[in-house]
Amino acid sequence: MSYDLVVIGTGPGGYVCAIRAAQLGLRTAVVEKRATHGGTCLNVGCIPSKALLHASEAFEEANKHFADLGIDVGTPKLDLKKMMAFKDEGVAGNTKGVEFLLKKNKVETFHGTGRIAGAGRVEVVSEDGGNQMLETKSIVIATGSDVTRLPGVTIDEKVVVSSTGALELDRVPKKLLVIGAGVIGLELGSVWRRLGAEVTVVEYLDRVLPGMDGEVGKQFQRILTKQGIAFKLSTKVTGVEVGKKGGASVTVEPAAGGGAAETLQADVVLVAIGRVPYTESLGLDTVGVQRDDKGRILTDAHYATNVTGIYAIGDVIAGPMLAHKAEDEGVAIAEMLAGQSGHVNYGVIPNVVYTFPEVASVGKTEEELKKDGIAYNAGKFPFTANGRAKANGTTDGFVKVLADAQTDRVLGVHIVGADAGNLIAEVAVAMEFGASSEDIARTCHAHPTLTEAVKEAALAVNKRAIHV
Ligand code: FAD
Ligand code: NAI
């Protein structure tokens, strides 16, 4: 069987790459070892977590906020089994959608583990042990990432869980201990807190969401604390012991050392300390594909590895581990292989945390600008001063626009607030077009919408905000 392109892995990077390549006339096949397409994102990542975030938010609304709106529904009861079925339906709808799209675009699917037998040759080993050899001009590796393990801690997906287990719990834990105040810890911590768990987050660093703007992190932590999540920052976990009757004892001590150790009890422990590139069974060492010290496949600006004809995209290479980054790389490499000029602008990749309120960011943080010695002006606008946020009773958070002090070009925007994930899109478009803060400020924004807070923050860059 001979192809122009064989893509290994059908997560957001791989399946999008295959569809774009097929659209451009390349004879394309995909190899996927899971029974369903969509990778981490659709099966055990973005989609199931967002379904549970949506459902648990509705539960919390009904539980705590409906009465304020004059709606009396009594005390809502949780049917966790049904909520999980709702989540599973969302996953199935999405994975079947990808299967349909691959077929529609005449991409051939091979189910099994792909191993690169040499440049231009991919062996597919199916679960029953059968194997097939595919000949191809180009290979794109899109095998994604896996959970980072904590040394000495076994993830059994029952008491000590990764995100995958935390999306499948069959009862609400009384106490949930989350290791890592990153995006998974705070999203899934929020889900289980809303459903009734007592949640404590232990974080090694002295802040939540490292990498995001510092002011955003501080405000966000305050909001989550108000909602009932407890934080133990600058703290390291030194051991997790699962009890004979279930539950676990987690030993922690100050990250800097020197302080007293403490033991925390939990029914479930979620390990969410990051993800690592996944390259198992690919045969990279045999073909000589180079990786960096973090295990990421090394590529040049055109996604080419050091071996001719072998490319890599998505979580398995450097850059943010985000579905939309993987997708855009998938499109870019497909276009390059078809003789076009694919391109990804790494300066404008939005990053969203889908809690309530949401956190969204694009471009440089204040910390990065300071470190790079770039002079900037900051404009900030709180949602307490936005008409729609007031009317909706969702006034937590702010929008911050950072613009170059000389040129006024927008360098970064950071939002904590309801619907921040959607609000960031206009800014991403503006930044792609090289907009100044004045461009955003002079654009008419509909009233009453939360988007007016973006406009006001842009006005605030030059101290011209109207409503504060
Ligand atoms: P993956 O999606 O990991 O897909 C890789 C595929 O390759 C898998 O299907 C795997 O089975 C297959 N594979 C691996 N090795 C082989 C082999 N040898 N042969 C055949 N097949 C193979 N990102 C966001 O942007 N937004 C979110 O809201 C979001 N939420 C997340 C929530 C959670 C709980 C997690 C864990 C992640 C989340 N992410 C989110 C991150 C997102 O899932 C990843 O960035 C994205 O899936 C990466 O896509 P990918 O195509 O590189 O790899
Ligand atoms: P993360 O990198 O976001 O956060 C991990 C956190 O764990 C960090 O705060 C880190 O300082 C901390 N940590 C590391 N080692 C520790 C230790 N030993 N003890 C205590 N804390 C420790 O990783 P996370 O949350 O696991 O997510 C993995 C990836 O999945 C992210 O890179 C993200 O890109 C992606 N993702 C994206 C989502 C989104 O876009 N909404 C949602 C979920 C995941």
Side-chain angles (χ1 to χ4, degrees):
M1 276 161 284
S2 181
Y3 297 93
D4 294 315
L5 171 64
V6 170
V7 182
I8 308 178
T10 57
Y15 87 74
V16 168
C17 172
I19 290 174
R20 185 72 188 120
Q23 281 177 349
L24 293 169
L26 302 188
R27 186 157 186 235
T28 306
V30 291
V31 183
E32 173 54 58
K33 65 180 186 154
R34 251 180 225 281
T36 50
H37 294 298
T40 304
C41 181
L42 273 60
N43 290 282
V44 291
C46 327
I47 296 299
S49 61
K50 265 79 259 180
L52 287 185
L53 278 157
H54 175 71
S56 61
E57 194 179 322
F59 181 67
E60 175 144 282
E61 281 288 296
N63 222 343
K64 297 201 176 144
H65 305 304
F66 273 14
D68 297 339
L69 310 182
I71 306 168
D72 182 1
V73 288
T75 307
K77 256 179 60 199
L78 174 66
D79 183 342
L80 186 60
K81 224 170 152 189
K82 214 162 180 179
M83 195 178 276
M84 289 294 172
F86 165 78
K87 171 209 68 174
D88 293 340
E89 247 174 65
V91 169
N94 275 282
T95 57
K96 281 189 194 130
V98 172
E99 191 179 334
F100 165 79
L101 289 173
L102 289 170
K103 275 194 191 133
K104 183 183 148 199
N105 285 282
K106 304 200 170 30
V107 174
E108 281 183 58
T109 292
F110 293 87
H111 278 291
T113 302
R115 185 183 69 86
I116 303 175
R121 291 166 67 228
V122 176
E123 184 188 28
V124 185
V125 182
S126 57
E127 245 179 34
D128 61 13
N131 64 352
Q132 278 168 292
M133 189 63 80
L134 313 181
E135 307 281 335
T136 177
K137 286 189 194 137
S138 306
I139 298 168
V140 169
I141 302 169
T143 49
S145 61
D146 192 13
V147 176
T148 301
R149 318 269 150 176
L150 196 57
V153 177
T154 308
I155 293 178
D156 59 20
E157 298 296 12
K158 295 227 152 19
V159 176
V160 184
V161 298
S162 70
S163 52
T164 303
L167 292 166
E168 300 260 287
L169 299 181
D170 56 7
R171 78 185 76 145
V172 179
K174 198 165 166 316
K175 288 188 178 181
L176 171 68
L177 187 132
V178 178
I179 310 177
V183 57
I184 290 182
L186 300 184
E187 285 189 354
L188 294 180
S190 288
V191 165
W192 291 107
R193 182 205 54 76
R194 292 168 186 167
L195 299 181
E198 237 176 76
V199 177
T200 303
V201 180
V202 177
E203 164 63 45
Y204 189 83
L205 299 175
D206 61 357
R207 55 161 299 177
V208 306
L209 297 180
M212 281 229 177
D213 191 88
E215 195 180 7
V216 162
K218 263 195 204 129
Q219 170 101 352
F220 186 50
Q221 189 193 335
R222 248 181 258 136
I223 295 169
L224 292 183
T225 305
K226 233 174 29 186
Q227 291 175 0
I229 295 185
F231 288 93
K232 274 189 166 296
L233 302 184
S234 306
T235 302
K236 68 178 169 200
V237 171
T238 51
V240 177
E241 204 166 305
V242 176
K244 285 201 180 76
K245 289 187 191 149
S249 302
V250 181
T251 323
V252 299
E253 60 181 55
E262 192 187 341
T263 303
L264 308 169
Q265 302 299 328
D267 303 290
V268 173
V269 177
L270 164 60
V271 181
I273 57 166
R275 293 181 62 85
V276 282
Y278 182 80
T279 54
E280 228 175 272
S281 320
L282 269 178
L284 296 188
D285 291 332
T286 323
V287 273
V289 170
Q290 284 174 354
R291 276 161 287 173
D292 68 12
D293 56 354
K294 292 185 173 141
R296 301 176 295 198
I297 295 177
L298 280 168
T299 60
D300 65 12
H302 297 96
Y303 310 105
T305 70
N306 60 308
V307 178
T308 308
I310 304 182
Y311 305 83
I313 56 165
D315 277 13
V316 81
I317 68 168
M321 287 182 164
L322 295 172
H324 39 283
K325 176 259 194 189
E327 288 183 40
D328 285 5
E329 288 178 345
V331 169
I333 182 62
E335 291 180 348
M336 286 181 213
L337 292 174
Q340 299 187 352
S341 320
H343 177 68
V344 177
N345 179 2
Y346 289 96
V348 186
I349 295 187
N351 193 356
V352 180
V353 186
Y354 298 87
T355 42
F356 190 87
E358 290 182 345
V359 181
S361 133
V362 64
K364 299 274 188 194
T365 63
E366 285 205 58
E367 290 76 12
E368 285 169 335
L369 292 174
K370 280 181 189 141
K371 195 168 133 261
D372 296 346
I374 297 170
Y376 64 93
N377 292 321
K380 221 174 110 179
F381 189 81
F383 280 104
T384 43
N386 172 272
R388 184 64 178 277
K390 272 192 199 159
N392 289 354
T394 56
T395 50
D396 273 340
F398 61 84
V399 179
K400 179 162 74 175
V401 173
L402 306 173
D404 189 286
Q406 260 90 52
T407 64
D408 193 37
R409 186 179 177 137
V410 177
L411 301 173
V413 175
H414 308 280
I415 308 176
V416 185
D419 222 15
N422 283 323
L423 296 181
I424 206 73
E426 76 156 288
V427 183
V429 174
M431 285 176 72
E432 273 294 342
F433 283 84
S436 61
S437 76
E438 172 120 20
D439 288 328
I440 297 178
R442 288 196 182 273
T443 302
C444 190
H445 287 65
H447 177 75
T449 62
L450 300 175
T451 67
E452 288 171 289
V454 176
K455 173 181 170 144
E456 290 270 10
L459 279 165
V461 169
N462 291 303
K463 307 199 171 26
R464 297 194 285 130
I466 301 290
H467 292 92
V468 276

